[in-house]
Each structure stands twice: as C-alpha cells, then as structure tokens.
Amino acid sequence: MTKILVIGSAGQIGSELTLKLRGLYGNNNVIAGVMELKAAEKLDGEGPLEIVDVLDRQGLVTVVRKHGIDSIINMAAILSATGEKNPMLAWDVNMNGLINVLEVAREFKMKQVLVPSSIAVFGPSSPADHTPQETILKPATIYGITKVAGELLGDYYVKRYGLDVRGLRYPGIISHMTLPGGGATDYAVEIYYEAVKNKRYTCFVNKDTRLPMMYMPDCLKSTIDLMQADFSRLDHHCDYNVGAMSFSAGELAASVKKYIPEFEITYSPDSRQAIADSWPNSVDDSLAREEWGWEPDYDLDSMTRDMLRAIGERHDKGLI
Ligand code: SER
C-alpha cells in the first residue's frame, strides 16, 4: 500500500495534486503536509493533514513514522522572484529542505521521491527556442541555481543509494484554485483574475515576452505519469523537460480578448522581466514523450476558456 506525503500541500501545485492523488489512491493514503493549519482550508476534512516544515528533519521523521510514509513529493520551494528578494532563504528552503527529504527517504528506504525542477535551470546562454533536454545549464537566478543542484542531487541519490528519485522541469503553471507564490510567470495567472474582475490588467513583463507554459490539468497529468512510469524505462531521473504551450504576453492577452472583448492590457515591466528574459521561449520535451508517453491536452485557447469559466463562476458567487 502506498502512503504518500505531499510537502507543500497548500501551494499552487500541491493543493490540486493532493486532491488528485487522494482520488487515485484513497484519502487516507495521501497525507497533506502544510506549513500552517490555516493555509490548508481547501484540504480540510478530505484526509490526513500534518504540519511539515521541510527544514525540520526531526519533525519530518515523526510524520513519516506516524503514517508509515513510503513516498514523498516535495513541493516546498521558494520561487524565482521571491528568491531574488531573499537568496539565502531560497538556498535554505530549496537545498537544505531537499537534503532533508532525500536523507529521510534514504533512511526509511522509501519507494519513491518526486522533486520538481523548472525551466529556471536554463539561463541566457542556453538555446532559447525548443531548448534541448541536454544543454548548457547556467541559470541567472538563485532559484535556478538551486534547481540545477537539486536535479544533480536527485540523480546522485539514484546512483549512489538506489533511491527512486524523479523530477520534471515545469514551465510556468497556470491554474485557478490556488494562486502561485512569487514566480516570474505569475502574470499568466493574474491576467485571468483581473480580466474577470476589472476587465484590465497591467502586465509586469513586456508584450513580446514568450515563455513555455502549462495548464494545471496537464501539470497534474505529467507529474502523475512520471510517478507511475516504469523505473526501468527511465534513462533520466530528475530533469525531464515537459512542454505544453508557448506564447507571448501579447498572445495571452489576445486570447483573453477573444472571450472578453472589452479587456485591456498595458505593460509595465519590473524586475521580473530580466528573470523571464533569461528563460527559454519553448522547450524540447521529446525525451519525456519517448520514455514515459508525455502528451499535453490543453492549448492556449482551451486553457483560456476554462480559466475564465472557473474564475467567472467564483466571481459571480462573490467568492473572489
Ligand atoms: N513559475 C516558476 C517561477 O516563475 C518557474 O518555475 O518561478
């Protein structure tokens, strides 16, 4: 029987992933790990909940023992923009947190650890279009540096200790249940909320900024497909490129305008522009497609329709 601990269960991806995994494996087999109780409202009553601070190894061990955890998904991380404001915090959470997870997983001989990586592993010297799986990794952000080191560390635990560690390089993730926290791709979520609420948005990157993006249902699908892939078929472990769509901020605005014609956008780039500029326009994910059958379902317009529907419903009910 699998018992999965999701660390960072109240976050943008963690909140939806926890619920999805509970649907697949049973409520009691997926333990939500959150930093504080009030952050976990969406998960309340659905299954076990524990306070887990990824920096507290002993606390992690206690939760692992209590529930007989055999797999950990570590979604706790400081993202790119927040990381630039506090590089030491990013290093601490993203590296020391990861070491704690890997060491506890090793000690308890766990079945699997999943640690996401990001397009932030790439930098200005990586090829910008159709960025290959294997290429120059010289990121310009502390977040990217921790993600490169995290990929290498995960691969090291596979080789050195035979631990099953897996990870994928998420592009910007767009969703409507939980807001992202402190990334350079947050504009691609904010635009939908502002379009529904105010019919206008001031975007913090310029019109031509093009980045790889993915809608949450595809993010969950890619994560679960990789988790369930046969280990013997995986040539790589912690660094799979996964793509879904690639669009500029201007194209995103045009997609919103198709459904909300009165929507207006202005551009006022801030410090996040430089982060976005250092990342690829699109990625080559052929290895994920070959090794574990990755295939996305959503494109820009199908995502826009679904985002506007979901956010519109909540707005009509006065919830946002
Ligand atoms: N969405 C993330 C960020 O902007 C990228 O992994 O930091």
Side-chain angles (χ1 to χ4, degrees):
M1 176 58 78
T2 284
K3 282 261 184 188
I4 305 171
L5 171 65
V6 182
I7 303 175
S9 246
Q12 185 197 13
I13 301 174
S15 55
E16 296 205 38
L17 185 62
T18 301
L19 298 182
K20 183 89 179 176
L21 291 172
R22 283 178 172 169
L24 285 175
Y25 297 109
N27 282 352
N28 285 329
N29 294 322
V30 181
I31 289 80
V34 296
M35 277 288 279
E36 46 182 11
L37 282 180
K38 71 172 168 38
E41 280 160 13
K42 291 192 180 76
L43 303 161
D44 258 354
E46 300 276 348
L49 185 78
E50 295 286 350
I51 300 290
V52 177
D53 176 352
V54 78
L55 293 176
D56 172 11
R57 192 183 297 184
Q58 208 39 54
L60 182 56
V61 166
T62 305
V63 170
V64 164
R65 279 218 177 91
K66 176 175 167 190
H67 292 277
I69 303 290
D70 61 25
S71 305
I72 298 181
I73 299 177
N74 180 29
M75 290 288 165
I78 301 295
L79 296 188
S80 59
T82 309
E84 290 314 296
K85 288 190 193 128
N86 196 341
M88 284 304 100
L89 178 69
W91 180 265
D92 202 21
V93 172
N94 299 1
M95 294 315 311
N96 294 329
L98 176 57
I99 278 284
N100 284 341
V101 168
L102 291 170
E103 276 299 288
V104 171
R106 180 170 79 86
E107 187 187 331
F108 284 82
K109 299 185 172 34
M110 291 205 182
K111 283 201 226 163
Q112 192 178 92
V113 175
L114 188 124
V115 185
S117 185
S118 163
I119 53 164
V121 294
F122 302 115
S125 52
S126 313
D129 291 303
H130 224 53
T131 306
Q133 177 75 40
E134 300 290 352
T135 188
I136 299 164
L137 300 181
K138 284 190 171 183
T141 62
I142 188 72
Y143 175 64
I145 292 168
T146 64
K147 286 296 170 187
V148 173
E151 289 182 355
L152 295 172
L153 204 54
D155 284 349
Y156 179 78
Y157 272 70
V158 175
K159 280 193 223 94
R160 178 80 165 77
Y161 302 116
L163 189 66
D164 179 348
V165 191
R166 304 175 183 204
L168 61 183
R169 293 169 177 160
Y170 291 135
I173 303 295
I174 295 160
S175 66
H176 56 75
M177 188 170 129
T178 308
L179 288 171
T185 57
D186 292 7
Y187 65 92
V189 176
E190 289 171 6
I191 189 172
Y192 290 110
Y193 281 86
E194 294 307 311
V196 168
K197 290 197 288 192
N198 303 317
K199 313 276 181 265
R200 58 175 55 248
Y201 179 56
T202 303
C203 184
F204 61 74
V205 297
N206 66 38
K207 190 177 176 180
D208 298 324
T209 304
R210 179 177 294 279
L211 286 169
M213 299 277 182
M214 183 183 276
Y215 194 30
M216 183 59 88
D218 280 332
C219 171
L220 301 179
K221 180 175 153 181
S222 66
T223 308
I224 290 167
D225 282 358
L226 177 60
M227 283 170 66
Q228 294 180 340
D230 184 352
F231 186 78
S232 65
R233 286 192 58 196
L234 304 181
D235 237 12
H236 280 240
H237 295 103
C238 299
D239 60 1
Y240 286 98
N241 279 3
V242 279
M245 52 184 116
S246 160
F247 50 77
S248 68
E251 288 164 354
L252 173 61
S255 173
V256 171
K257 226 171 153 54
K258 269 189 210 168
Y259 304 96
I260 305 181
E262 63 274 39
F263 174 67
E264 297 210 0
I265 187 159
T266 48
Y267 300 91
S268 177
D270 66 16
S271 60
R272 289 168 283 188
Q273 179 72 55
I275 301 176
D277 285 344
S278 74
W279 291 348
N281 300 327
S282 61
V283 296
D284 174 3
D285 61 359
S286 45
L287 198 79
R289 289 173 189 257
E290 275 161 35
E291 288 192 11
W292 44 276
W294 164 239
E295 200 181 348
D297 291 325
Y298 283 85
D299 62 13
L300 175 55
D301 279 344
S302 53
M303 173 177 76
T304 294
R305 280 195 299 276
D306 205 51
M307 283 292 285
L308 293 177
R309 176 200 54 77
I311 295 170
E313 278 171 18
R314 272 163 57 212
H315 189 247
D316 290 348
K317 288 182 193 152
L319 297 173
I320 53 166

